[in-house]
Amino acid sequence: MAGHSKFKNIMHRKGRADAARSKLFSKLSREITVAAKAGLPDPAMNPRLRLAVNNAKAESLPKDVIDRAIKKSQMGDAADYSEIRYEGVAAGGVGIVVEVLTDNKNRAAANVRSYFTKMGGNMGATGSVTFNFDRVGQITYPAKVASEDDMMEAAIEAGADDVTSDMDEEGEGHTVYTAFEGLNEVAAALEAKFGPATNTKIAWRPKMQVPVTGDSVATLMKLLDMLDEDDDVQAVYSNEDISDEDLAKLG
């Protein structure tokens, strides 16, 4: 298990994102536009675009919005987005990796730095945090699609490296990890057996977890929420380990 107290703190943040659906849709659309602009505007011929479209569909992004995002990439006045990774350490020593897609580097850097500073953390140089993470392919499925044993068996047959399953009623479900070079092949094999995944992406998986307790939990979660809610931020990864009891106190 990759920490995160059975991913319940991730779920806490996801609940916040679900409450701001338009913001989530905006980030999905931006990824589609950037993926289409970086390669061919055809998902069948562009693996990154195919993943972006599939993830958007899994979040119920309307087809017309997906089509507009692809068309936008071909327009001469389409914004040029930069992909940037920021790394920092939160109070208590938790490592955080922030992936940004922005049309204004100065704004993005200033905002991310301010969030860390306000919550007692510090920005670091590139590589100062990611050495504690592995770059992996990550595929998620709801718990209902398979038992733990069936998902593990299918993932191993597909060439995956590891599977974690949280089968609680409000759990994250199945998370399949693979070498990032083999993500597309493993995802295709699992889709043939279980149908489309909830999400498929290249991610940062913690090698170790940092225990967080007491008042530091609320401070950390507020920082993660700030990062998640920023329009320029596409993804946030962290290596905290928080007990269910401390998470429950957040309400």
Side-chain angles (χ1 to χ4, degrees), residues 142-159:
K144 64 183 180 182
V145 303
S147 67
E148 292 184 54
D149 289 342
D150 287 346
M151 180 59 72
M152 177 66 77
E153 181 179 352
I156 291 173
E157 289 179 358

Side-chain angles (χ1 to χ4, degrees), residues 4 30 37 68 77 104 151 157 165 169 224 226 233:
H4 296 295
R30 186 182 305 165
K37 191 172 183 178
R68 282 202 305 272
D77 59 350
N104 188 322
M151 180 59 72
E157 289 179 358
S165 295
E169 184 177 346
L224 295 175
M226 286 179 171
V233 174

Side-chain angles (χ1 to χ4, degrees), residues 81-94:
Y81 288 101
S82 298
E83 298 179 80
I84 309 169
R85 185 180 78 237
Y86 298 110
E87 303 177 28
V89 178
V94 171

